[in-house]
Amino acid sequence: MALDWQKLANDYRDDYVADLKTLVSIDSSRDDSLATDEFPLGPGPAKAMIAFMDIAKRDGFTVKNLDNLAGYVEYGEGDDTLAILGHADVMPAGKGWHTDPFTLTEKDGNLYGRGTSDDKGPALAAYYGLRMLKDQGIVPKMKVRFIVGTDEESDWTGMKHYLDVEPAPTLGFSPDAEFPLINGEKGNVTFETHFKGTNGGDVTLDEFDSGLRMNMVPRDAEATVTTAAGIQMGNAFNVFLAKAPVTGEAEVTGNQVKLHVVGKAAHGMEPKNGINAGTYLATFLTAYDFGGDARDFLSLLADQLHDDSRAHKLNLAYTDDVMGDLTMNVGIMNFVADDHGLINTNFRYPTGTGAANILAGLQQATAKMAVTIEQGREMVPHYVDPSDPIVATLMDVYREQTGDTTAQPEVVGGGTYGRLMKRGVAFGALFAHTQDTMHQADEFQPEADLLKAMAIYGQAIDALTK
């Protein structure tokens, strides 16, 4: 007799919401300033991962904590391993919330809180999919590991550690993206352009600060400027704000002007979904007589990087028929007079280009500037053929559960743990009809969507392990 996966999922509703409330209450953003031997990434990510493990122990699963960097839940027997890879860490909450980001809030059928969409809500739905099998007495014919990382939003330290100390899975999926299924992910590389922090000219850039993470469009930007024409700059700033798609304020105290811009945060994989407060602030400031590194810092932002997510101004625009456009996010901008300047750019690129080409474009744009450019971690493009049984099986389950018979696998700019496996994909939990609020203020996921995802995950795990 076929199981009614959706009915089973609905039966778990109260337990699921209670567990998600526990997970959301933990601020699990990475904080290196709080790192210890016990908590290498700060206590938050580890505590959220441990909370996942505690939920699984309560439900009778075998669990293992790998040095507070990753943990896994195991069920089933066999030589092959199906991995379900989620993450317990979250992006910093940032500003602009209308609810407490660390209190699960139910409103109009939606569940609000940091991690409800990325990735605590979806990962917990996948865990409950596994729990449904156990509670129904269904024993998978291969080993299933639900693996929880603690550093997906930064350097993937936790999952790298898992792969260092545990065997690589045979196949798997990450519930950390969108439905119907992601079988391809663009390459991903970050560059940091460093300045020495000098000034010159009639106006001094004392400080400039915008951005929380490289993979997040900055919502806020602040600058402190010294100028003899403070009142005039404040008035000009108000005129600028009236014409731009941002808000903000200017505070003038003698010769010192403090400027604040508010844009819109978004996931860095598609910067068009956000409004970059930092580059907008730079475009305003370039009208003034800055000198030295301050001038170069602002002009690079305003003239080469602003409002150009496809990097046309850097001569880096590139499109692949399968993977789509190269995209660029300006994630972190920081300047302190006589100390340093930093611009962090994150690129998601398709097959056919790569880090060497991108570096050449940045070097050309800064050829007349006294800068150094450092390349960060690079992940090359990842692709699983649609004919692979993991893609075919998961697509069949999705179509059966949703009735969407025309759905096809997709390629995206986001990077998920799925790419860590040769036969790894990303599978849910964001539906096409739902607003994407990952990395944004007021992050949410509809409760009905998460329960639907739970049903899909339960059937998917069953189908992949028969």
Side-chain angles (χ1 to χ4, degrees):
M1 179 179 177
L3 292 175
D4 186 337
W5 295 99
Q6 188 61 60
K7 181 180 183 302
L8 285 174
N10 291 340
D11 290 342
Y12 286 98
R13 184 268 175 197
D14 291 347
D15 287 351
Y16 172 83
V17 172
D19 287 340
L20 185 57
K21 181 178 181 180
T22 297
L23 294 170
V24 168
S25 70
I26 302 168
D27 180 355
S28 53
S29 57
R30 175 174 176 167
D31 188 344
D32 291 343
S33 70
L34 300 176
T36 63
D37 290 342
E38 182 181 10
F39 299 119
L41 307 173
K47 288 182 177 180
M49 180 274 291
I50 292 168
F52 265 108
M53 298 301 105
D54 287 344
I55 289 168
K57 282 193 291 186
R58 175 201 67 195
D59 296 335
F61 284 101
T62 298
V63 307
K64 187 173 183 179
N65 180 341
L66 302 173
D67 304 310
N68 280 341
L69 289 171
Y72 67 83
V73 179
E74 185 171 288
Y75 184 56
E77 297 288 342
D79 295 331
D80 294 327
T81 301
L82 169 69
I84 305 162
L85 299 90
H87 65 91
D89 61 306
V90 296
M91 295 296 284
K95 301 177 181 178
W97 287 75
H98 294 89
T99 64
D100 181 348
F102 302 111
T103 299
L104 186 68
T105 302
E106 302 178 50
K107 181 180 179 182
D108 299 327
N110 297 321
L111 300 176
Y112 288 84
R114 187 49 110 209
T116 51
S117 183
D118 183 19
D119 180 43
K120 294 175 179 177
L124 187 64
Y127 163 75
Y128 265 82
L130 184 61
R131 179 180 164 183
M132 283 195 286
L133 268 67
K134 180 175 178 293
D135 290 350
Q136 291 298 310
I138 301 172
V139 180
K141 293 182 180 179
M142 70 170 66
K143 190 180 298 178
V144 179
R145 282 192 175 180
F146 172 72
I147 309 169
V148 180
T150 54
D151 189 29
E152 193 275 343
E153 301 294 4
S154 297
D155 297 325
W156 293 22
T157 308
M159 204 57 69
K160 290 176 183 176
H161 181 64
Y162 175 90
L163 293 172
D164 284 341
V165 299
E166 294 287 337
T170 310
L171 74 170
F173 66 85
S174 176
D176 187 25
E178 58 195 52
F179 288 123
L181 181 142
I182 307 302
N183 69 314
E185 299 181 7
K186 296 178 186 178
N188 188 325
V189 65
T190 298
F191 290 91
E192 290 186 346
T193 302
H194 294 270
F195 303 77
K196 293 181 179 179
T198 63
N199 264 283
D202 295 332
V203 184
T204 299
L205 181 62
D206 300 313
E207 293 185 355
F208 188 108
D209 186 62
S210 182
L212 297 171
R213 293 286 170 83
M214 60 88 180
N215 55 346
M216 187 176 185
V217 177
R219 174 187 181 270
D220 293 272
E222 296 180 344
T224 303
V225 173
T226 299
T227 174
I231 296 297
Q232 294 91 326
M233 178 179 282
N235 291 336
F237 187 63
N238 291 329
V239 174
F240 169 80
L241 292 175
K243 298 178 181 179
V246 294
T247 59
E249 58 185 356
E251 178 185 337
V252 181
T253 306
N255 289 341
Q256 189 176 75
V257 182
K258 293 184 178 180
L259 304 173
H260 180 208
V261 171
V262 179
K264 179 185 177 183
H267 196 301
M269 71 175 178
E270 182 42 275
K272 285 183 177 180
N273 292 336
I275 301 173
N276 195 314
T279 63
Y280 268 97
L281 179 53
T283 61
F284 169 74
L285 289 172
T286 51
Y288 293 87
D289 183 24
F290 292 95
D293 291 324
R295 177 194 61 233
D296 293 341
F297 172 85
L298 294 170
S299 65
L300 180 59
L301 288 172
D303 300 336
Q304 301 292 331
L305 305 179
H306 173 63
D307 197 24
D308 187 21
S309 66
R310 270 52 185 174
H312 290 281
K313 299 171 190 175
L314 295 175
N315 295 315
L316 293 174
Y318 185 85
T319 301
D320 173 76
D321 289 342
V322 174
M323 289 194 162
D325 295 342
L326 174 147
T327 64
M328 174 187 67
N329 181 54
V330 189
I332 300 174
M333 295 145 272
N334 186 264
F335 189 95
V336 177
D338 300 321
D339 189 343
H340 75 277
L342 166 70
I343 298 174
N344 179 295
T345 45
N346 175 243
F347 296 83
R348 314 293 174 103
Y349 63 88
T351 300
T353 185
N357 290 340
I358 295 169
L359 176 59
L362 289 170
Q363 289 172 332
Q364 179 64 33
T366 58
K368 298 181 180 180
M369 302 178 185
V371 303
T372 59
I373 301 175
E374 297 180 359
Q375 178 181 325
R377 178 189 60 164
E378 180 183 17
M379 295 185 291
V380 299
H382 172 73
Y383 188 75
V384 180
D385 193 280
S387 65
D388 189 291
I390 189 172
V391 177
T393 299
L394 293 179
M395 286 300 304
D396 285 346
V397 171
Y398 172 82
R399 290 165 180 152
E400 179 180 341
Q401 283 289 330
T402 64
D404 181 5
T405 59
T406 63
Q408 298 295 328
E410 302 174 354
V411 175
V412 298
T416 74
Y417 286 152
R419 72 192 304 147
L420 291 172
M421 300 169 287
K422 184 177 180 180
R423 298 181 62 205
V425 299
F427 189 49
L430 188 71
F431 289 93
H433 59 258
T434 299
Q435 179 184 352
D436 181 357
T437 56
M438 298 181 191
H439 297 195
Q440 299 180 33
D442 293 336
E443 178 183 348
F444 76 90
Q445 191 89 318
E447 178 184 299
D449 282 9
L450 290 166
L451 294 178
K452 171 63 74 175
M454 189 192 303
I456 292 172
Y457 291 138
Q459 184 177 355
I461 298 167
D462 184 39
L464 287 170
T465 58
K466 282 188 177 299

